[in-house]
Amino acid sequence: MDVLSVASEVYPLVKTGGLADVAGALPGALAAHDVSMRTLVPGYPQVLSALKKGRQVAEFDDLFGGPAQLIAGRAEGLDLIVIAAPHLYERPGGIYVNELGKDWTDNWARFAALGWVAAELAKGLVDGYEPRIIHAHDWQGAMAAAYVAFGGDSQTQVVVTIHNLAFQGQFGAEVFPHLRLPDAAFTMHGVEYYGGVGFLKAGLQCAHAITTVSPTYAREIRTPEYGMGLEGLLNQRGFDLHGILNGIDTDAWNPQTDTALAAGYGASTISKRGVNKLALAQRFGLDQSDGPLFGIVSRLTWQKGIDLVADNVDWLVTLGGQLAVLGSGEPQLEAALSEAAARHPGRVGFVSAYDEELSHLIQGGADIIFVPSRFEPCGLTQLYGLRYGAVPLVSRVGGLADTVIDANTAAVEAGVATGVQFSPVESGALGEAIMRAMNLYGQPAVWSRMQRKGMKTDVSWNRSAEKYAGLYTSLLRQE
Ligand code: ADP
Ligand code: GLC
C-alpha cells in the first residue's frame, strides 16, 4: 500500500517539535505493516542539502508565485519527495517564522503549495507513482484534503492528523482567489472559516478520516475547553475521529546505546544513571546532590505550563530538589527561568537553546522528567522519560493522562505505577505533586520499581503503526 505523508517537518532533517519525530518515525514503523510511505516535504535549505542523489520527477512554471521542481530521493533512511521552490522555502530564519520570530507573511502560499502538490501527486503527476492515500499532518499539510475534495482524484482517501489544535493556519479571505480552488470551496463546507480561510478547518471538513495523537485528546477536543473553536466541527465528524497514541523511535532513543549519554544502561543496570546525573549537573552548573533532579525539555510556552514551574521553583528548592531546564520560547518565560537560576545557584540551571544531544542527557540523567502542560495532544518527552528511567511528573491531560500511570496507593502496591500525575493544572496542585514525587523518591525501593516499570513499558510504534495501517485499509475498502 502506497501512502503519501505530507509534513512540514521531519526528523532528523528539520524539527521544531514532536511533529517532526512522528513524521520521521512513522514510515519505518509502517514498513512492518506492508505500508510504503513516502514523505512530501518543503525544500528548506537543510532538506535540500541532505538529499542524496535526488532526481527531478516533475516541474512547475508557477507554483504559487515562482518556478519549482519536485525532487525524489532518499535522506537519513527516508523516502522523500521534496518541493524545491526557492521563492517559498529557501530563506534564512525559521521554517514558520522570520528572524524576528514573526510568521512569514506568505505562509498561506508556502503550505497551500504543499497540499496542492500532494493532491497532484495522488492524481498521477509522476509516472508509476499513484498513492491512493494521503496522510497529512497539522494545518500545514491539511489543505491536501481540500485540494482532493475540490478537484482531486475521487479515488484518493485523505487522513488528516491533528498534532496540536492551537495552530490552525487562519488567513484572511483575500488569499482565497490565489488558492487555485473553485468558488464553491469558499463556504462553510469547504475552506471558509469565520469569513476567512482556515487551513486546518478545511482539512477537518474535507478529510475522509481524522486522527489525533491520543485517545484522551480525541475526547477533549470535542469540548469547548480544548476544542479551540473547532469542537462543533469535530463533534459533527465524531464518527471519523480517532485517537491513536504516538510511539517513539526506540533506536534513536535507547539508553543502552545512546552516545549522548556519559554512561549507557538498561533496566537492570539503572544505577549507572548516576554517572549521567553527575554529567548533567556539571553541564547545568548544579551542585552534586542526593536530592531529586527535575529535568525539563520543552518549548517554553503557555501550553507547556512553564509559568507554573516558575511559580513553584522556590518550593521545589526548599524541599531539596534541583531543576535543569532546556528550552527556548516566550521571552517572559525565559526571563522567569533565568531569574530562578540566578536566585538558586547550584540548585537551578537553565540553558536557553535547542539542543538535541543535551535533551538526551537530561532524559538519561534527571530523576524526574517534568511535563506540567495545560494541554498536551500526546507529548513525547514523557515517553522518552519512561524509556530512560526518568520518572514523569505530568499533568493529567491528553496523552500525558494516557501514557503515565499515577503512583496512587493502589498502583504503588500493585507495582504498576510509572509516574506522578496532577490535576487541575494549577500552581497549587503542581506544588503538591512536587512534594508527592519527593516522597516517592525518598523510598528507594518504590522509586526504582517505578523506574523499571517505566523502562519496560511499550512506548514503541508497534501497536499504533498497526492502528494506522488498519485505518488506511478500512478507507480503501470504503472508497
Ligand atoms: P511539542 O511537539 O508540543 O513541542 P512533544 O513532547 O511532542 O511536544 O515533542 C517535543 C520534542 O521536541 C521532543 O522530541 C523534545 O525532546 C524536543 N524538544 C523540545 N524542546 C527542545 C530543546 N530545547 N532542545 C532539544 N529538544 C527539544
Ligand atoms: C504536537 C503536540 C504534542 C505531540 C506532537 C506530536 O506538537 O503538542 O503533544 O506529541 O505534536 O504528535
Side-chain angles (χ1 to χ4, degrees), residues 11-12 15 21 252-254 257-263 276 279-280 283-284 296-297 326-327 351 353-366 369 384 388:
Y11 180 84
K15 164 167 165 178
D21 291 315
W253 292 89
N254 180 352
T257 55
D258 193 330
T259 53
L261 301 183
N276 297 319
L280 182 59
R283 189 72 165 64
F284 279 81
I296 294 180
V297 180
L326 168 65
V351 172
Y354 189 93
D355 185 333
E356 193 78 29
E357 292 243 321
L358 189 52
S359 77
H360 285 240
L361 184 60
I362 292 182
Q363 298 287 3
I369 189 83
Y384 300 137
Y388 277 62

Side-chain angles (χ1 to χ4, degrees), residues 5 94 113 134 139 170 205-206 223-224 290 327 349 364 385 397 402 418 434 442:
S5 169
I134 293 177
W139 74 264
Q170 285 287 110
Q205 189 80 56
C206 300
T223 68
D290 290 337
V397 297
D402 291 337
T418 57
I434 291 173

Side-chain angles (χ1 to χ4, degrees), residues 262-318:
Y265 59 92
S268 55
T269 51
I270 236 169
S271 60
K272 290 196 192 159
R273 294 183 93 256
V275 179
N276 297 319
K277 184 171 177 179
L278 265 181
L280 182 59
Q282 251 165 24
R283 189 72 165 64
F284 279 81
L286 304 177
D287 304 334
Q288 201 176 329
S289 157
D290 290 337
L293 174 51
F294 291 69
I296 294 180
V297 180
S298 185
R299 294 186 287 117
L300 303 179
T301 66
W302 183 84
Q303 175 192 346
K304 301 293 180 177
I306 301 301
D307 52 318
L308 306 178
V309 173
D311 291 347
N312 274 285
V313 167
D314 297 348
W315 170 238
L316 185 152
V317 170
T318 306

Side-chain angles (χ1 to χ4, degrees), residues 17-19 22 163-164 213 246 299 303-304 376-380:
L19 164 62
V22 172
H163 294 267
N164 194 335
V213 289
N246 287 333
R299 294 186 287 117
Q303 175 192 346
K304 301 293 180 177
E376 196 60 77
C378 180
L380 298 175

